[in-house]
Amino acid sequence: MSTPVNTFRKLPIGIQSFEFLRSEGYLYVDKTALIYRLVTKGKLYFLSRPRRFGKSLLLSTLEAYFKGKKELFEGLAIEQLEQNWFEYPVLHLDLNAEKYDSRERLEKMLELQLESWETTYGVDKGTMTYSGRFSTIIQRAYEQTGHRVVVLVDEYDKPMLQTFDNPDLQEDFRKTLTAFYTVLKSADPYLQFVFITGVTKFAQMGIFSTLNQLNDISFDLEYNTLCGMTRTEIEATFIPELQALTEQTETTYEQAVEQLARQYDGYRFTPEKGFTPMYNPFSVLSALAKSRFGDYWFASGTPTFLVEMLKRTDLDLRELDGIEVSSASLKESGIEINNPIPIMYQSGYLTIKTYYEHTDTYALSFPNEEVRYSFLHYAVPLYTPLSYLKIYPYIVRSVRELRSGDIEAFLNRLTCFFADFPYELNVKTERHYQVVFYLVFKLMGQFTQAEVRTAKGRADAVVKTADYIYVFEFKLHGTAEEALKQIDDKGYLLTIDGRQLVKVGVAFDAEKRNLGKWLIG
């Protein structure tokens, strides 16, 4: 096997320091033209993006720019755009690294940061509050340097996200952080630029009501590509890596690029027309560095707050493909324990697929295959007694059986899967069983074309292999004969392309909590 051609090029996987990235020769997708537009058009900004989408690197780049480190921008777009390089005092607060499970943790983080700034600018904290100290630091930095201050806040909402299930602690954090952040309102005469990032926009946080001039660019077409990567950027920057991926996966260049798109593209952060779909940068860089496809972003860690929320909510997974929500719910909501959809969008597990201007609503879905199948894998133990590692062999063997046309073996395997299912079939659990059917067939979609359509009282699926097209109808309340007749009556498949059509009607046995009689037509 030949050596991958990208061996000696350094890809910035997980690199959050712009200075380190540039000085150590890592590749960089040039976002500095957009950064120049930001700093020249406005003063106070907020940006929401999913984790590992480049927010920290963006803030580090802004810090290097405002500190006047022109040498780091050699060869980049901003080198030609900026004619005057000044050095501003920069206060960079990063809340991303700490685990906020107590009031002491947050206080320690703020204390360390404030003490560092106080040492730099000779401020005696005395008996001042956090907000008083922050305000004094800003004013003193301005007076000492003669330049207005730049404030950068990374993951401002991290303490709030980690305490959504502890209302008392979250309220404590809210009061502390609100007082701290709203200093930026009174300090406006001393400020040159403010940029705040996070995952979600907490409507109850005083930062957004007090700083009413804060420009939320999270949905702006103008800055849609500020974080993440476009296909054009990938193909312009990583040609050797794409060639290596092509070689290692034994595909053509076009096939490799298309697979990269299916796996990691599809994020949309604006309702406007003319948007550019965005790729997940962490996954793209990981795939190019390793010359193989994988579930890199999801494997890097599902946020704890989302895990707990999904455990507590009555979420119907079948609704996620194309679920419609109001514009306001995505732009203004914080975390609501009974409504995980906004936070699933803001966290990157769902994205905008369609915007309906006449109703000001969005249709959401999974952005790409990595997120779709990784999320469904994760959801398995929430709805079944099995982990994904245990259900995976069922899925793989089932796919083999359907590819070979052995429908009886597939149905027997599905029967074994439900053999130890713990729930009695009743009004409350009927939807639960339907979701399990949905999960099984949707997970098969990794290896086949699997479509799952569900409606009240029934669950049906279509699975396409190279030689067969299967149409399934499962009756939770009815007979196998009725299920098979429904396939014929409804005409689920109106066009057949030469593959053998197999119709399968299955009755679910409520007493056995398992598949009952089935008919194949």
Side-chain angles (χ1 to χ4, degrees):
M1 182 177 293
S2 58
T3 303
V5 298
N6 62 343
T7 301
F8 301 105
R9 285 169 41 109
K10 300 168 74 172
L11 275 62
I13 303 172
I15 304 297
Q16 300 179 357
S17 167
F18 180 74
E19 181 169 1
F20 181 84
L21 180 152
R22 294 290 288 170
S23 62
E24 295 297 322
Y26 284 86
L27 296 175
Y28 175 66
V29 174
D30 190 355
K31 301 289 185 178
T32 60
L34 279 176
I35 289 174
Y36 182 75
R37 186 185 303 176
L38 269 176
V39 300
T40 54
K41 289 186 64 174
K43 179 178 179 179
L44 293 95
Y45 294 98
F46 170 75
L47 177 67
S48 169
R49 284 293 183 269
R51 63 189 176 85
R52 293 192 175 274
F53 242 82
K55 299 189 298 294
S56 297
L57 179 59
L58 172 63
L59 287 193
S60 180
T61 308
L62 284 165
E63 180 175 8
Y65 166 79
F66 278 110
K67 285 186 173 180
K69 297 184 177 183
K70 183 179 179 179
E71 69 281 1
L72 296 178
F73 295 88
E74 182 179 350
L76 301 180
I78 203 170
E79 182 186 30
Q80 302 301 320
L81 295 170
E82 182 58 84
Q83 302 303 311
N84 301 302
W85 290 82
F86 299 110
E87 182 177 356
Y88 295 89
V90 177
L91 305 180
H92 189 167
L93 177 63
D94 183 1
L95 294 175
N96 193 38
E98 187 61 79
K99 181 178 181 180
Y100 301 99
D101 54 5
S102 67
R103 179 176 182 175
E104 291 71 27
R105 287 287 187 96
L106 178 59
E107 290 178 342
K108 181 180 179 181
M109 169 62 77
L110 293 177
E111 188 68 37
L112 287 172
Q113 188 61 80
L114 288 168
E115 286 181 349
S116 174
W117 294 335
E118 286 163 344
T119 299
T120 300
Y121 297 107
V123 174
D124 181 5
K125 66 179 181 180
T127 58
M128 290 187 292
T129 62
Y130 290 139
S131 56
R133 293 166 65 184
F134 189 32
S135 178
T136 302
I137 290 166
I138 292 173
Q139 185 172 349
R140 188 68 58 84
Y142 168 72
E143 292 171 348
Q144 285 190 11
T145 64
H147 289 288
R148 286 187 291 270
V149 178
V150 172
V151 176
L152 307 173
V153 182
D154 196 10
E155 303 289 4
Y156 90 101
D157 53 349
K158 185 74 171 286
M160 302 292 288
L161 291 174
Q162 291 189 346
T163 55
F164 85 94
D165 57 346
N166 187 337
D168 292 337
L169 186 56
Q170 187 174 77
E171 177 62 16
D172 194 18
F173 284 178
R174 187 194 66 80
K175 290 178 180 179
T176 300
L177 291 171
T178 297
F180 188 83
Y181 291 138
T182 51
V183 165
L184 299 173
K185 177 73 171 181
S186 58
D188 185 69
Y190 309 110
L191 296 174
Q192 176 69 23
F193 186 82
V194 175
F195 200 97
I196 300 169
T197 74
V199 170
T200 188
K201 184 176 179 181
F202 279 94
Q204 70 269 36
M205 287 289 285
I207 188 172
F208 296 108
S209 58
T210 304
L211 282 176
N212 49 23
Q213 73 272 46
L214 194 66
N215 183 9
D216 183 356
I217 60 173
S218 304
F219 286 82
D220 289 6
L221 178 62
E222 185 176 14
Y223 299 111
N224 178 60
T225 62
L226 186 59
C227 289
M229 295 180 185
T230 67
R231 177 167 181 163
T232 300
E233 290 170 335
I234 292 169
E235 292 197 75
T237 310
F238 304 106
I239 293 175
E241 289 73 28
L242 289 170
Q243 292 173 342
L245 182 64
T246 297
E247 178 182 323
Q248 294 300 107
T249 56
E250 298 182 340
T251 59
T252 67
Y253 176 85
E254 280 302 319
Q255 288 172 334
V257 170
E258 289 303 317
Q259 181 63 24
L260 205 69
R262 287 194 299 272
Q263 287 286 110
Y264 311 125
D265 192 12
Y267 287 93
R268 177 179 174 181
F269 300 116
T270 176
E272 307 298 337
K273 297 177 182 178
F275 70 94
T276 301
M278 299 304 297
Y279 287 69
N280 183 315
F282 182 80
S283 292
V284 169
L285 291 172
S286 298
L288 293 179
K290 298 175 184 296
S291 295
R292 66 173 180 268
F293 297 103
D295 297 330
Y296 300 108
W297 179 75
F298 201 96
S300 68
T302 303
T304 304
F305 67 86
L306 185 58
V307 173
E308 294 302 320
M309 181 177 289
L310 291 174
K311 287 180 179 179
R312 298 183 183 201
T313 191
D314 189 25
L315 179 67
D316 189 336
L317 295 183
R318 299 170 299 164
E319 297 177 356
L320 293 182
D321 272 320
I323 189 170
E324 292 189 27
V325 298
S326 69
S327 173
S329 71
L330 296 189
K331 294 180 180 179
E332 301 299 336
S333 295
I335 288 184
E336 296 180 20
I337 187 63
N338 294 318
N339 182 20
I341 301 304
I343 197 64
M344 287 185 67
Y345 164 77
Q346 292 157 346
S347 300
Y349 295 93
L350 297 175
T351 197
I352 298 168
K353 290 300 178 182
T354 308
Y355 174 64
Y356 302 106
E357 187 174 2
H358 61 290
T359 56
D360 195 24
T361 56
Y362 295 99
L364 307 179
S365 188
F366 299 108
N368 49 51
E369 289 188 359
E370 176 190 20
V371 177
R372 179 188 305 277
Y373 294 119
S374 294
F375 182 83
L376 294 176
H377 298 168
Y378 165 77
V380 165
L382 300 180
Y383 291 88
T384 79
L386 302 176
S387 68
Y388 177 69
L389 291 178
K390 291 183 178 180
I391 197 178
Y392 184 80
Y394 281 99
I395 301 299
V396 171
R397 291 166 188 161
S398 295
V399 168
R400 290 173 183 162
E401 289 156 356
L402 291 180
R403 283 178 173 169
S404 67
D406 195 349
I407 184 64
E408 290 284 349
F410 167 75
L411 292 170
N412 282 319
R413 188 170 302 284
L414 198 58
T415 302
C416 293
F417 170 70
F418 278 101
D420 297 319
F421 214 67
Y423 301 100
E424 296 290 345
L425 180 63
N426 55 50
V427 175
K428 291 183 179 180
T429 62
E430 180 175 325
R431 190 180 71 173
H432 193 105
Y433 274 95
Q434 291 171 340
V435 170
V436 174
F437 279 122
Y438 171 88
L439 274 171
V440 169
F441 282 94
K442 211 64 176 174
L443 286 170
M444 288 170 59
Q446 297 169 90
F447 314 104
T448 65
Q449 290 178 275
E451 306 165 14
V452 183
R453 298 186 298 268
T454 58
K456 186 176 181 180
R458 68 179 178 86
D460 61 287
V462 177
V463 178
K464 300 177 183 180
T465 68
D467 300 313
Y468 301 92
I469 296 178
Y470 298 92
V471 183
F472 293 89
E473 188 66 34
F474 293 90
K475 283 292 184 183
L476 292 175
H477 303 285
T479 65
E481 288 79 5
E482 291 171 337
L484 201 60
K485 184 175 184 300
Q486 185 167 320
I487 294 175
D488 292 327
D489 292 346
K490 297 293 184 180
Y492 292 136
L493 285 179
L494 301 179
T495 58
I496 303 300
D497 55 10
R499 286 176 282 187
Q500 182 178 339
L501 173 63
V502 181
K503 296 176 287 186
V504 186
V506 183
F508 197 85
D509 189 321
E511 184 176 346
K512 295 180 179 178
R513 295 175 293 172
N514 210 323
L515 274 63
K517 180 181 178 181
W518 60 69
L519 294 172
I520 301 170

